[in-house]
Short mmCIF file of all heavy atoms in Angstrom, two decimals:
data_model
loop_
_atom_site.label_atom_id
_atom_site.label_comp_id
_atom_site.label_asym_id
_atom_site.label_seq_id
_atom_site.Cartn_x
_atom_site.Cartn_y
_atom_site.Cartn_z
N TYR A 18 -14.87 -16.72 -8.02
CA TYR A 18 -16.30 -16.60 -7.87
C TYR A 18 -16.88 -16.95 -9.19
O TYR A 18 -16.90 -16.19 -10.11
CB TYR A 18 -16.67 -15.13 -7.48
CG TYR A 18 -16.03 -14.59 -6.28
CD1 TYR A 18 -14.98 -13.77 -6.24
CD2 TYR A 18 -16.66 -14.86 -4.99
CE1 TYR A 18 -14.44 -13.26 -5.07
CE2 TYR A 18 -16.16 -14.39 -3.82
CZ TYR A 18 -14.94 -13.55 -3.87
OH TYR A 18 -14.47 -13.06 -2.69
N VAL A 21 -15.31 -15.81 -12.42
CA VAL A 21 -14.39 -14.74 -12.09
C VAL A 21 -13.24 -15.24 -11.22
O VAL A 21 -13.48 -15.75 -10.14
CB VAL A 21 -15.10 -13.61 -11.37
CG1 VAL A 21 -14.18 -12.43 -10.99
CG2 VAL A 21 -16.27 -13.01 -12.23
N ALA A 23 -10.77 -13.95 -8.77
CA ALA A 23 -10.44 -12.80 -8.07
C ALA A 23 -8.91 -12.63 -7.84
O ALA A 23 -8.37 -11.58 -8.05
CB ALA A 23 -11.21 -12.74 -6.74
N PRO A 42 -4.50 -1.26 -7.49
CA PRO A 42 -5.70 -0.63 -7.92
C PRO A 42 -7.02 -1.27 -7.66
O PRO A 42 -6.95 -2.41 -7.21
CB PRO A 42 -5.49 -0.52 -9.43
CG PRO A 42 -4.54 -1.64 -9.75
CD PRO A 42 -3.73 -1.88 -8.52
N SER A 43 -8.14 -0.59 -7.81
CA SER A 43 -9.45 -1.15 -7.52
C SER A 43 -9.68 -2.44 -8.30
O SER A 43 -9.35 -2.50 -9.51
CB SER A 43 -10.47 -0.09 -7.93
OG SER A 43 -11.75 -0.51 -7.56
N GLY A 44 -10.11 -3.42 -7.55
CA GLY A 44 -10.45 -4.72 -8.23
C GLY A 44 -9.34 -5.72 -8.32
O GLY A 44 -9.47 -6.77 -8.88
N CYS A 45 -8.14 -5.34 -7.77
CA CYS A 45 -6.96 -6.22 -7.97
C CYS A 45 -6.98 -7.41 -7.00
O CYS A 45 -6.20 -8.35 -7.13
CB CYS A 45 -5.62 -5.43 -7.82
SG CYS A 45 -5.30 -4.94 -6.15
N GLY A 46 -7.90 -7.44 -6.02
CA GLY A 46 -7.95 -8.60 -5.15
C GLY A 46 -7.51 -8.37 -3.66
O GLY A 46 -7.37 -9.40 -2.93
N LYS A 47 -7.40 -7.09 -3.26
CA LYS A 47 -6.91 -6.84 -1.95
C LYS A 47 -7.89 -7.27 -0.89
O LYS A 47 -7.54 -7.99 0.09
CB LYS A 47 -6.64 -5.29 -1.73
CG LYS A 47 -5.75 -4.72 -2.82
CD LYS A 47 -5.53 -3.19 -2.62
CE LYS A 47 -6.81 -2.41 -2.79
NZ LYS A 47 -7.38 -2.31 -4.16
N THR A 48 -9.18 -6.88 -1.00
CA THR A 48 -10.18 -7.22 -0.03
C THR A 48 -10.36 -8.72 -0.02
O THR A 48 -10.50 -9.34 1.05
CB THR A 48 -11.49 -6.48 -0.34
OG1 THR A 48 -11.26 -5.10 -0.22
CG2 THR A 48 -12.59 -6.94 0.60
N THR A 49 -10.26 -9.37 -1.16
CA THR A 49 -10.46 -10.84 -1.21
C THR A 49 -9.39 -11.49 -0.45
O THR A 49 -9.66 -12.41 0.35
CB THR A 49 -10.32 -11.26 -2.71
OG1 THR A 49 -11.33 -10.63 -3.46
CG2 THR A 49 -10.49 -12.81 -2.82
N GLN A 87 -14.11 -2.33 5.12
CA GLN A 87 -14.04 -1.11 4.22
C GLN A 87 -15.10 -0.16 4.55
O GLN A 87 -14.92 1.02 4.65
CB GLN A 87 -14.15 -1.66 2.79
CG GLN A 87 -13.58 -0.69 1.71
CD GLN A 87 -13.26 -1.42 0.44
OE1 GLN A 87 -13.43 -2.66 0.27
NE2 GLN A 87 -12.81 -0.68 -0.58
N GLU A 166 -8.90 -0.47 3.94
CA GLU A 166 -9.07 1.02 3.59
C GLU A 166 -9.64 1.75 4.81
O GLU A 166 -10.68 2.46 4.64
CB GLU A 166 -10.05 1.12 2.38
CG GLU A 166 -9.62 0.35 1.17
CD GLU A 166 -8.86 1.18 0.16
OE1 GLU A 166 -8.50 2.36 0.50
OE2 GLU A 166 -8.59 0.65 -0.94
N HIS A 199 -5.42 1.61 -1.63
CA HIS A 199 -4.98 1.86 -3.00
C HIS A 199 -4.20 3.16 -3.08
O HIS A 199 -3.89 3.63 -4.15
CB HIS A 199 -6.13 1.81 -3.97
CG HIS A 199 -7.20 2.86 -3.68
ND1 HIS A 199 -8.45 2.56 -3.07
CD2 HIS A 199 -7.22 4.12 -3.82
CE1 HIS A 199 -9.10 3.61 -2.85
NE2 HIS A 199 -8.43 4.63 -3.35
N1 ATP B 1 -18.62 -11.96 -4.26
C1 ATP B 1 -18.03 -11.77 -5.47
N2 ATP B 1 -18.61 -12.29 -6.58
C2 ATP B 1 -18.02 -12.11 -7.81
N3 ATP B 1 -16.88 -11.42 -7.99
C3 ATP B 1 -16.34 -10.88 -6.95
C4 ATP B 1 -16.86 -10.97 -5.64
N4 ATP B 1 -16.10 -10.31 -4.77
C5 ATP B 1 -15.10 -9.78 -5.47
N5 ATP B 1 -15.21 -10.09 -6.78
C6 ATP B 1 -14.33 -9.74 -7.87
O1 ATP B 1 -13.05 -10.06 -7.55
C7 ATP B 1 -12.11 -9.04 -7.91
C8 ATP B 1 -11.29 -8.55 -6.72
O2 ATP B 1 -12.23 -7.90 -5.81
P1 ATP B 1 -11.69 -7.26 -4.45
O3 ATP B 1 -12.92 -6.77 -3.74
O4 ATP B 1 -10.75 -8.16 -3.81
O5 ATP B 1 -10.81 -6.00 -5.01
P2 ATP B 1 -10.12 -4.82 -4.23
O6 ATP B 1 -8.68 -4.85 -4.65
O7 ATP B 1 -10.42 -4.90 -2.77
O8 ATP B 1 -10.78 -3.50 -4.93
P3 ATP B 1 -11.20 -2.07 -4.17
O9 ATP B 1 -9.93 -1.27 -4.10
O10 ATP B 1 -12.14 -1.49 -5.28
O11 ATP B 1 -11.86 -2.32 -2.84
C9 ATP B 1 -12.95 -7.99 -8.60
O12 ATP B 1 -12.87 -8.17 -9.98
C10 ATP B 1 -14.29 -8.23 -8.07
O13 ATP B 1 -15.31 -7.73 -9.02
#
Side-chain angles (χ1 to χ4, degrees):
Y18 299 100
V21 179
S43 186
C45 72
K47 305 179 297 293
T48 296
T49 302
Q87 200 159 1
E166 305 262 9
H199 59 255

